[in-house]
Amino acid sequence: MPERLNGMTKYGGRYLITALFLCLFTGCGSAEKESNEDLYGEIIAGLGDEEQYSLQDIGEKNDVLFTTDMTYDDGNGHNAALSCKVYYSVDGEFYTLERIESLGTAWPVSYGEQCIYTASEHGVTAYAFDGKELRWKVTQYEEVFDTEGNTSCERTDVEGNKETVSEEDYLEVWEDYKESTVINFGYGASDNPF
């Protein structure tokens, strides 16, 4: 039983521990968005000396963590990357893209609203997280050339199904990529504050 002292209730350690335990697991007093330190602190702490990271808000419930071991100056003030690993945490589970890759320094890995992009001279790949199915969905758009040099545009969905799409559909995805934000990688808290 708690004791009363000068009009205040004094709780024993058992009551305090129980209250803290309940707050931790029920989220009392916490904001809807979890802190990046809680979500990704262990992963970031475990990165090697040459690995860099970036935390980005792409419009999902939590930020997305990107890690890479190689960056380059894209000429616009970014430590950009051609390839990286992607982590997204939902309810304590990580949904990871092991390696996404652009094919050339003219097309760094970038992000837009609820989407991550990679590209090459003749294609764009879009990665979006499906919160209902709890998985990353990948859609690739590319120009395809036949033996006579004619061009058509093709989309490959997450299941590997291919279909021909209009040039307008293809160019629309390219515009989305061009308007996206290049991921800027850094080594520490000054570059990526929690």
Side-chain angles (χ1 to χ4, degrees):
M1 218 44 205
E3 299 174 24
R4 303 266 310 154
L5 181 63
N6 295 332
M8 297 177 64
T9 305
K10 179 180 174 188
Y11 291 92
R14 182 172 41 135
Y15 294 102
L16 183 57
I17 290 171
T18 303
L20 287 172
F21 182 83
L22 288 173
C23 277
L24 283 173
F25 288 98
T26 62
C28 71
S30 66
E32 187 166 313
K33 191 171 189 171
E34 296 180 64
S35 80
N36 288 327
E37 187 170 9
D38 290 339
L39 293 172
Y40 304 116
E42 277 188 47
I43 295 170
I44 293 169
L47 294 175
D49 291 341
E50 298 301 314
E51 292 179 284
Q52 297 178 55
Y53 71 95
S54 184
L55 290 159
Q56 298 297 331
D57 179 355
I58 70 167
E60 294 291 345
K61 178 183 173 189
N62 295 311
D63 289 350
V64 176
L65 172 65
F66 300 85
T67 64
T68 189
D69 60 2
M70 187 178 297
T71 61
Y72 64 97
D73 182 346
D74 74 346
N76 294 311
H78 302 111
N79 287 324
L82 293 179
S83 66
C84 64
K85 188 171 182 176
V86 180
Y87 300 87
Y88 181 60
S89 178
V90 177
D91 299 327
E93 292 289 324
F94 287 113
Y95 298 89
T96 306
L97 292 167
E98 286 297 322
R99 181 180 170 95
I100 61 173
E101 184 173 16
S102 283
L103 300 176
T105 56
W107 307 285
V109 180
S110 65
Y111 70 93
E113 185 63 26
Q114 296 184 308
C115 197
I116 302 166
Y117 297 100
T118 58
S120 66
E121 186 175 359
H122 298 288
V124 176
T125 303
Y127 307 82
F129 189 75
D130 184 327
K132 290 181 183 172
E133 294 185 22
L134 296 175
R135 67 178 182 147
W136 287 99
K137 290 198 171 182
V138 182
T139 308
Q140 183 176 10
Y141 294 80
E142 60 188 329
E143 288 181 305
V144 179
F145 301 91
D146 66 18
T147 56
E148 296 171 4
N150 299 314
T151 306
S152 61
C153 301
E154 192 172 82
R155 175 175 54 218
T156 306
D157 67 19
V158 69
E159 278 81 29
N161 301 315
K162 296 179 183 283
E163 68 175 327
T164 301
V165 295
S166 69
E167 184 177 7
E168 291 77 23
D169 287 343
Y170 175 75
L171 293 175
E172 186 178 321
V173 175
W174 260 110
E175 277 306 308
D176 291 342
Y177 173 73
K178 288 178 187 175
E179 293 174 10
S180 65
T181 302
V182 173
I183 298 169
N184 189 34
F185 289 87
Y187 285 104
S190 62
D191 293 323
N192 290 288
F194 282 117

